[in-house]
Amino acid sequence: MEKDIEGLIEYFERNLAELLRELQLDPNDEFLKGKIAGIKQALITCRMYNRPENGNPIDVIID
């Protein structure tokens, strides 16, 4: 499972870098800003799930 989370983190990081490059071309694109915010939140969640503090894992439910 840890490999799956690592792969997901890498995917989100690549996606984020690509979207940030697109945003440089059109800094007023609110749709891109929303996608970037969502991917940043997904990265935070994945990292929390992958590296829990104090050895206590968290449960993540995605609707």
Side-chain angles (χ1 to χ4, degrees):
M1 174 113 154
E2 193 171 311
K3 281 186 176 183
D4 294 336
I5 298 293
E6 286 294 329
L8 193 56
I9 289 171
E10 289 174 15
Y11 171 77
F12 285 142
E13 287 173 341
R14 282 192 311 267
N15 238 340
L16 182 60
E18 191 175 310
L19 290 174
L20 288 171
R21 283 191 298 272
E22 287 182 36
L23 188 62
Q24 287 179 343
L25 298 174
D26 187 5
N28 297 321
D29 190 335
E30 294 299 321
F31 181 70
L32 273 178
K33 289 178 183 178
K35 286 173 76 173
I36 289 168
I39 290 176
K40 284 181 177 180
Q41 187 60 45
L43 273 168
I44 290 168
T45 304
C46 286
R47 288 179 178 138
M48 284 173 42
Y49 186 77
N50 200 34
R51 296 179 193 92
E53 288 185 23
N54 301 327
N56 298 321
I58 62 167
D59 291 325
V60 177
I61 300 172
I62 301 173
D63 295 332

